[in-house]
Amino acid sequence: MIRAAVLPAVGAPLEITDIELPEPGPGQVRVRLAAAGVCHSDLSLSNGTMRVPVPAVLGHEGAGTVVSVGEGVTRVTPGDGVVLNWAPSCGACHPCSLGEVWLCVNALNGAANVHARAVDGRELHPGLNVAAFAEETVVSESCLLPVPEGVPLTDAALLGCAVLTGWGAVHHSARVREGETVAVFGVGGVGLATLQAARIAGASTIVAVDVSPEKEGLARAAGATEYVVASENTAREIRKLSGGHGVDVAVECVGRAVTIRTAWESTRRGGRTTVVGIGGKDQQVSFHALEIFHWGRTLAGCVYGNSDPAADLPVIAGHIRDGSFDLGSLVTERITLDGIPGAFDAMLAGKGGRALVVF
């Protein structure tokens, strides 16, 4: 028996309860969690914006220690520190054959598996493959990456989503070059990671945008040189801060139609907008044909930072070790499992950065 945060049905409150977790089968690994980040995607799963089989144990950003392994496991041994990878690539599908492992069509197949059982016998699924909102979890060995040397195990949880997403949005999707100007919309966990990545990339002006004036200190500590409180004049303010023509790159970390449109309008002619935020089907963004031609801007989606976790984590770890990337500064609250519903409420209210569940 272990404690976990269970989503009983879409739109229902989370249940912090005991569950029965089986021992690892062939190719599986049991991990004792050290920490798990509370990501907006978990909220999107709970409210139905993203669909997964339910009931489910949520949580997809985590790190911990290997407890035991099943038959045939060769990548890890008990005692190893590991980062959970919620979207492991299969290496065989069409996107994987093109080197676009972040688009693997089989990455989330594990979400349909039976992961554990509730005390009343209900079958529970593993959320986004890894079920990190629990004291322990059992995952495929393909869902594990070694904790990089020199990175504290608790902080390493953030590498599993926020950091890879923000880093990749800057370095892989938008491909920010030294001296370019950047605007980042949304100063949550992913937004804070994006700001740090833009600073490391050598961006000159870095504008952070959020609805909350209270986040300015967080944004500037992460690398923002300017801060704008979101309003109907946001695009105009950003153009003013970037020589009157707009920034080279805008990264949208919110997933709302109005924010995506504003990010696009904030870029210069020929600029690039990367959308990281996950919005619902009701969030419709419209453009007319003439403006698309006239502005020559690029609008691109970004999945998991367009990252290859196995290749990117060692690079990011180097920046953590030399002090240029500060994992701890992403965290504004450390909580227990019981604090996850409150962390969801804080996200809905636009408060704070990353809440981190510490076990």
Side-chain angles (χ1 to χ4, degrees):
M1 282 289 190
I2 61 163
R3 294 189 78 225
V6 175
L7 178 69
V10 172
L14 285 180
E15 298 175 353
I16 313 301
T17 184
D18 289 337
I19 65 171
E20 297 178 6
L21 186 69
E23 290 302 314
Q28 292 184 323
V29 178
R30 189 175 184 123
V31 176
R32 180 178 299 114
L33 272 295
V38 183
C39 178
H40 204 281
S41 295
D42 298 308
L43 183 60
S44 295
L45 292 171
S46 71
N47 64 25
T49 299
M50 297 170 63
R51 292 284 185 176
V52 292
V54 290
V57 179
L58 296 187
H60 63 281
E61 180 184 87
T65 303
V66 173
V67 175
S68 58
V69 301
E71 181 183 353
V73 171
T74 58
R75 297 183 186 180
V76 296
T77 58
D80 288 350
V82 290
V83 176
L84 301 182
N85 176 16
W86 61 270
S89 56
C90 70
C93 68
H94 184 60
C96 284
S97 72
L98 298 175
E100 298 173 351
V101 296
W102 55 91
L103 298 178
C104 176
V105 298
N106 298 309
L108 292 179
N109 285 357
N113 294 340
V114 175
H115 172 71
R117 290 185 183 274
V119 291
D120 62 5
R122 287 176 298 163
E123 294 182 341
L124 305 176
H125 301 283
L128 292 179
N129 279 331
V130 296
F133 287 168
E135 294 170 330
E136 296 186 5
T137 188
V138 172
V139 300
S140 166
E141 68 172 327
S142 65
C143 291
L144 299 177
L145 296 161
V147 171
E149 183 181 352
V151 179
L153 187 59
T154 299
D155 290 348
L158 302 166
L159 297 173
C161 185
V163 174
L164 276 170
T165 300
W167 175 269
V170 168
H171 291 273
H172 299 316
S173 180
R175 298 185 180 182
V176 174
R177 299 182 288 268
E178 187 172 358
E180 287 193 312
T181 54
V182 177
V184 178
F185 289 74
V187 184
V190 172
L192 289 168
T194 303
L195 288 167
Q196 292 203 52
R199 172 176 47 76
I200 291 170
S204 53
T205 299
I206 304 175
V207 185
V209 183
D210 199 274
V211 295
S212 172
E214 288 76 25
K215 291 187 179 182
E216 181 172 359
L218 283 172
R220 290 190 180 275
T225 61
E226 310 289 344
Y227 192 81
V228 172
V229 178
S231 72
E232 60 183 16
N233 296 318
T234 295
R236 188 177 305 156
E237 290 185 58
I238 292 175
R239 287 195 294 270
K240 184 178 179 181
L241 292 169
S242 54
H245 42 68
V247 292
D248 298 300
V249 170
V251 182
E252 199 273 358
C253 305
V254 181
R256 295 183 62 233
V258 64
T259 317
I260 294 169
R261 175 75 204 197
T262 302
W264 190 79
E265 291 176 354
S266 299
T267 61
R268 64 169 174 82
R269 197 174 186 188
R272 314 184 298 281
T273 298
T274 287
V275 179
V276 173
I278 301 172
K281 294 179 180 179
D282 60 323
Q283 297 293 314
Q284 299 290 316
V285 188
S286 62
F287 307 89
H288 62 70
L290 183 59
E291 65 179 323
I292 293 174
F293 162 78
H294 173 75
W295 290 104
R297 295 164 172 151
T298 300
L299 179 68
C302 178
V303 178
Y304 205 3
N306 292 9
S307 292
D308 178 349
D312 286 327
L313 280 189
V315 176
I316 297 169
H319 292 291
I320 295 170
R321 287 191 292 267
D322 70 18
S324 56
F325 198 109
D326 182 4
L327 283 176
S329 67
L330 273 62
V331 179
T332 53
E333 187 179 18
R334 294 176 184 265
I335 61 175
T336 65
L337 274 173
D338 296 293
I340 295 176
F344 278 12
D345 291 339
M347 280 192 290
L348 286 170
K351 297 179 180 179
R354 195 53 124 218
L356 188 67
V357 181
V358 178
F359 294 93

